Amino acid sequence: MAVPERYGLGPIEVTAITGGAVEMVAPLTGSGYSVSGCSGGGGVSSEGRGGVRLSCGKGPAATINDAMSLEVVEIRGTAAVLRIEPAG
């Protein structure tokens, strides 16, 4: 799914949905990257090639690049509902 350029990420691709987390990858479009949150368990790692991998569980929203809020609203089997909006 494409997100606004100001978020510093290219299109976000969901790569897996497990019982408690949604795994995603996205290319970086800016010069830096930061994430806080990803509640319910989660983390971030560099994918090399200027990309990142996120794993976020259901719960409070994560803030990415101080610009984007990403929340896993619900996980149902192999489907998930994500809420992406401007941070703040």
Side-chain angles (χ1 to χ4, degrees):
M1 81 191 78
V3 296
E5 189 175 317
R6 69 181 179 276
Y7 293 167
L9 297 176
I12 298 171
E13 177 186 350
V14 173
T15 57
I17 299 173
T18 61
V22 178
E23 296 181 21
M24 299 159 271
V25 294
L28 295 176
T29 59
S31 59
Y33 178 78
S34 66
V35 62
S36 63
C38 262
S39 277
V44 61
S45 62
S46 173
E47 279 293 283
R49 303 180 320 279
V52 294
R53 177 177 300 275
L54 286 165
S55 177
C56 296
K58 183 178 172 185
T63 301
I64 300 169
N65 291 340
D66 296 321
M68 180 181 108
S69 170
L70 186 152
E71 178 184 1
V72 176
V73 177
E74 190 171 355
I75 298 174
R76 286 189 195 165
T78 58
V81 177
L82 305 177
R83 178 178 295 128
I84 296 174
E85 58 192 6

